[in-house]
């Protein structure tokens, strides 16, 4: 099975027509397209190969939660993947406590959960060891409510996204494949030590057609979470081609 490429469109594009056009042009096997909620249904309608993803979810099934979108609603739209704990959501106030509830509920609902973890710039400046310590603590908190090993095995993916490497963050420049591999190996080792299982770990943070080969050719890196470059269908297709050629 080839490595997984996940497109995170964030709050883009502005119109449904643009979203449908982008989805058609980005459709590919072993890819996930995660558009904003209002576009999920129409985007699904044009995807022949890629799976549908959401960028967030609420943990309760239904009820008085104004503005939240539930797991049942996503499942009803045939969403297969959900991104949880993205750093842009954490920056808006989403805590590890909330993330742990979402992870637990998402796994239990049999969605594939893409849990994003990553250290910020100030932690990274302290070095790789400090960054590893940060990631270990973050993972522990985000998985604190999840103890069903079977669900973790079947449904959990982790995306290592150093916050400072995300294209829209200040100075955002991709990590080096070497350092990303080191962090990803560390995350995998944590998962083996803590849960005795192998977890797929993607890299995210300024992945572009220029650097995709360098990241995706690392055996430890199981795929990519792509933001900015997924909004340009030519760039996204190029990343898919690079993945396919490995
Ligand atoms: P980027 O975004 O590819 O634009 O850096 C990745 C992400 O935020 O998931």
């Amino acid at each position: 099975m080839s490595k997984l490429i996940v497109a995170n469109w964030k709050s883009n594009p502005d119109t449904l027509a643009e979203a449908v056009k982008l989805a058609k042009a980005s459709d590919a096997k072993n890819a996930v397209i995660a558009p904003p909620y209002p576009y999920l249904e129409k985007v699904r309608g044009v995807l022949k190969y890629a799976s549908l993803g959401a960028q967030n979810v609420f943990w309760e099934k239904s009820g008085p939660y104004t503005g939240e979108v539930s797991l049942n609603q996503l499942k009803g739209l045939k969403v297969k993947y959900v991104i949880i704990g993205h750093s842009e959501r954490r920056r808006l106030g989403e805590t590890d406590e909330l993330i742990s509830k979402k992870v637990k509920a998402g796994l239990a609902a049999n969605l594939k959960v893409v849990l994003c973890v990553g250290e910020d710039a100030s932690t990274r400046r302290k070095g790789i060891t400090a960054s590893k310590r940060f990631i270990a603590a973050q993972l522990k908190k985000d998985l604190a409510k999840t103890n069903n090993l079977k669900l973790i095995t079947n449904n959990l993916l982790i995306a290592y996204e150093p916050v400072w490497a995300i294209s829209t963050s200040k100075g955002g420049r991709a990590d080096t494949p070497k350092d990303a591999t080191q962090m990803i190996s560390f995350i995998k080792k944590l998962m083996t030590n803590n849960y005795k299982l192998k977890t797929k770990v993607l890299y995210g943070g300024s992945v572009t057609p220029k650097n995709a080969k360098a990241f995706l050719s690392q055996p430890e890196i199981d795929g990519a979470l792509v933001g900015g470059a997924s909004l340009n269908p030519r760039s996204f297709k190029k990343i898919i081609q690079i993945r396919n050629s490995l």
Side-chain angles (χ1 to χ4, degrees):
M1 179 80 100
S2 59
K3 299 188 176 194
L4 185 71
I5 308 293
V6 181
N8 174 13
W9 290 359
K10 308 187 180 182
S11 293
N12 301 293
D14 286 345
T15 67
L16 176 60
E18 288 170 279
V20 167
K21 199 167 152 210
L22 181 57
K24 279 186 187 156
S26 309
D27 195 15
K29 282 187 187 151
N30 216 13
V32 177
I33 308 288
Y37 289 142
Y39 305 148
L40 281 169
E41 187 166 16
K42 291 278 188 215
V43 164
R44 186 199 70 214
V46 300
L47 294 179
K48 291 200 177 78
Y49 306 108
S51 300
L52 191 64
Q55 300 171 19
N56 185 25
V57 70
F58 189 60
W59 59 85
E60 294 288 355
K61 288 199 167 66
S62 58
Y65 307 104
T66 303
E68 298 292 349
V69 174
S70 76
L71 283 158
N72 285 352
Q73 289 157 351
L74 294 185
K75 298 266 296 184
L77 290 170
K78 307 263 187 324
V79 167
K80 294 257 158 36
Y81 286 77
V82 61
I83 298 169
I84 294 179
H86 191 282
S87 60
E88 287 158 9
R89 296 204 52 79
R90 293 178 190 260
R91 198 171 57 217
L92 289 173
E94 193 159 296
T95 61
D96 289 304
E97 167 77 14
L98 299 186
I99 290 166
S100 68
K101 290 185 183 184
K102 294 180 178 194
V103 171
K104 180 180 183 205
L107 293 174
N110 264 323
L111 285 173
K112 302 275 181 213
V113 169
V114 180
L115 170 62
C116 298
V117 295
E119 79 286 357
D120 56 16
S122 67
T123 307
R124 183 59 165 245
R125 272 195 294 273
K126 292 183 197 142
I128 288 268
T129 306
S131 302
K132 285 182 177 169
R133 216 175 298 129
F134 180 94
I135 298 287
Q138 198 174 43
L139 252 186
K140 191 170 173 206
K141 286 182 267 181
D142 294 347
L143 295 176
K145 294 194 165 45
T146 304
N147 48 22
N148 186 324
L149 286 189
K150 194 159 166 240
L151 287 177
I152 300 180
T153 311
N154 293 338
N155 295 341
L156 181 74
L157 295 112
I158 294 171
Y160 170 59
E161 293 209 310
V163 179
W164 47 270
I166 292 177
S167 67
T168 45
S169 75
K170 220 168 53 197
R173 196 143 44 89
D175 199 355
T176 62
K178 186 166 162 269
D179 285 353
T181 299
Q182 199 185 337
M183 295 301 283
I184 285 174
S185 305
F186 172 73
I187 292 170
K188 290 186 167 184
K189 213 181 296 153
L190 275 179
M191 294 304 289
T192 318
N193 292 347
N194 296 349
Y195 301 98
K196 309 265 170 295
L197 48 89
K198 288 199 163 92
T199 309
K200 285 203 180 341
V201 184
L202 318 178
Y203 168 75
S206 300
V207 174
T208 64
K210 277 207 176 104
N211 60 23
K213 189 169 180 199
F215 284 108
L216 293 170
S217 57
Q218 304 291 328
E220 288 289 302
I221 299 181
D222 297 310
L225 179 51
V226 184
S230 71
L231 296 173
N232 175 332
R234 244 185 299 154
S235 300
F236 189 68
K237 271 288 167 109
K238 186 81 198 141
I239 293 170
I240 296 279
Q241 275 167 13
I242 292 164
R243 183 273 314 266
N244 292 346
S245 71
L246 292 171

